[in-house]
Amino acid sequence: MMKLSVIAFLTLLAVGCNKDDDSNNDNGAADGELIANVDGNEFKASTQVGATLYAGTFNITAIKPSTGETIVITVSNASEGTFDLGPDANAQSGAIYMISGQDAYGSVGEGGSGQIIITKLDLDNETASGTFSFTAVHQIVDGNGVIITETVEITDGVFNNITLATTIPGGNSTLEAKVDGNDLNADSVTALKITFGGNTNIVITANNNTTNQNLSLSFSDNLTVGTYSAASDYVGMYNPSLGGGTNNYAAETGTLTITAIDLTAGTVEGTFSFTAKRLDPNDPDVTYEITAGSFSAEIQ
């Protein structure tokens, strides 16, 4: 099961902040709305859609509230123009379709393809518009060890005057960890409360913006001070080179210890360690040991 990248999580901060103007563009999307067809079925997001442009990387994330379906598109070195979303795209570009945060279909895998045309990046008015389509694939391994590929077609995608955030949310959050004995050296750390399907999680993400390493922790806001197990109680994710929804390694074993949490004040502290293994059978079959982890976060 793939998880949203840190950029997509940050994009969710813009959700619900779009303009109230209901005027339509020539392609049928109202202001602040993203529409598309998913295997011929309507996808429309107007209250849960947002876009970001951080350090040249554009991301748009949209959620259909009634089903939990999610579309995430990321473009590196973004500008107004046409960009490939398929396997030959830039390493930090691609598109993902998910259902309630699970069963991720990606455009950058074998058999995937796609294109986004960014028609407007208005930094003065902080809005973005464009069109897109992509073919996304999802692979599972059956009980006999056979890889089965499933495909979803996203067509006629349009987004119109979506609110565009260009500043990463502030805060004094810190996260330290070692990856195979080497310091992560995160230079940006963000803690968010994210709600999917009625469940609210605290998601802490840390980036090394030089190496593009990304590490994230996700756990229920119902957890209290104590020690918890990986997979069953919390999700730990590591990406050695963030981009395009690929090369995600998830905690298979490990522990998370919450030493302090105050949801009223919006703070949480703790320690963690985990062993991360690949999610996608097409990714390199390596294991990462995440040790000496600690965090002190201000929840946005």
Side-chain angles (χ1 to χ4, degrees):
M1 179 180 66
M2 291 186 184
K3 299 293 179 182
L4 292 175
S5 71
V6 59
I7 298 171
F9 278 127
L10 292 175
T11 302
L12 292 174
L13 288 181
V15 165
C17 298
N18 289 302
K19 301 181 185 300
D20 293 327
D21 186 347
D22 290 329
S23 61
N24 286 49
N25 70 2
D26 292 339
N27 292 313
D31 276 5
E33 186 174 72
L34 182 148
I35 61 174
N37 289 317
V38 179
D39 283 341
N41 298 311
E42 182 185 58
F43 179 103
K44 180 182 290 187
S46 56
T47 60
Q48 297 190 35
V49 56
T52 59
L53 182 64
Y54 300 143
T57 297
F58 172 79
N59 177 278
I60 185 165
T61 298
I63 302 169
K64 183 177 180 180
S66 61
T67 62
E69 293 169 273
T70 303
I71 290 175
V72 180
I73 302 174
T74 302
V75 176
S76 64
N77 299 318
S79 61
E80 294 178 354
T82 302
F83 298 88
D84 184 18
L85 299 175
D88 295 327
N90 181 288
Q92 294 191 37
S93 299
I96 297 172
Y97 168 77
M98 291 183 294
I99 303 172
S100 297
Q102 303 185 39
D103 298 331
Y105 294 72
S107 66
V108 298
E110 183 178 354
S113 63
Q115 175 180 277
I116 181 173
I117 302 174
I118 301 175
T119 57
K120 180 173 70 174
L121 276 179
D122 187 340
L123 300 184
D124 292 330
N125 295 306
E126 297 185 330
T127 58
S129 300
T131 62
F132 63 92
S133 63
F134 61 92
T135 298
V137 297
H138 170 66
Q139 293 186 328
I140 59 174
V141 180
D142 68 13
N144 296 318
V146 177
I147 297 176
I148 299 174
T149 300
E150 300 173 339
T151 302
V152 63
E153 296 285 345
I154 312 297
T155 58
D156 302 318
V158 180
F159 55 97
N160 184 35
N161 285 335
I162 303 300
T163 298
L164 179 69
T166 58
T167 303
I168 295 177
N172 296 313
S173 298
T174 62
L175 184 148
E176 297 180 354
K178 292 182 181 293
V179 180
D180 289 342
N182 299 311
D183 290 334
L184 177 64
N185 290 326
D187 43 26
S188 64
V189 179
T190 304
L192 307 176
K193 288 182 73 173
I194 304 294
T195 299
F196 274 113
N199 298 315
T200 300
N201 283 351
I202 296 171
V203 181
I204 303 172
T205 57
N207 271 354
N208 180 318
N209 293 320
T210 300
T211 63
N212 288 325
Q213 290 171 282
N214 167 250
L215 188 150
S216 66
L217 302 170
S218 176
F219 51 90
S220 171
D221 68 347
N222 290 325
L223 296 189
T224 57
V225 171
T227 298
Y228 301 91
S229 298
S232 60
D233 298 319
Y234 80 97
V235 175
M237 298 287 292
Y238 173 68
N239 190 314
S241 183
L242 184 68
T246 60
N247 293 333
N248 288 303
Y249 294 79
E252 185 173 84
T253 59
T255 58
L256 166 73
T257 299
I258 297 177
T259 56
I261 184 168
D262 186 336
L263 295 181
T264 301
T267 58
V268 60
E269 298 178 1
T271 61
F272 64 93
S273 63
F274 60 85
T275 298
K277 296 189 176 182
R278 65 179 180 177
L279 289 172
D280 189 330
N282 291 317
D283 286 339
D285 187 11
V286 297
T287 298
Y288 292 97
E289 295 293 340
I290 311 300
T291 58
S294 64
F295 59 88
S296 176
E298 293 184 358
I299 305 167
Q300 304 298 308

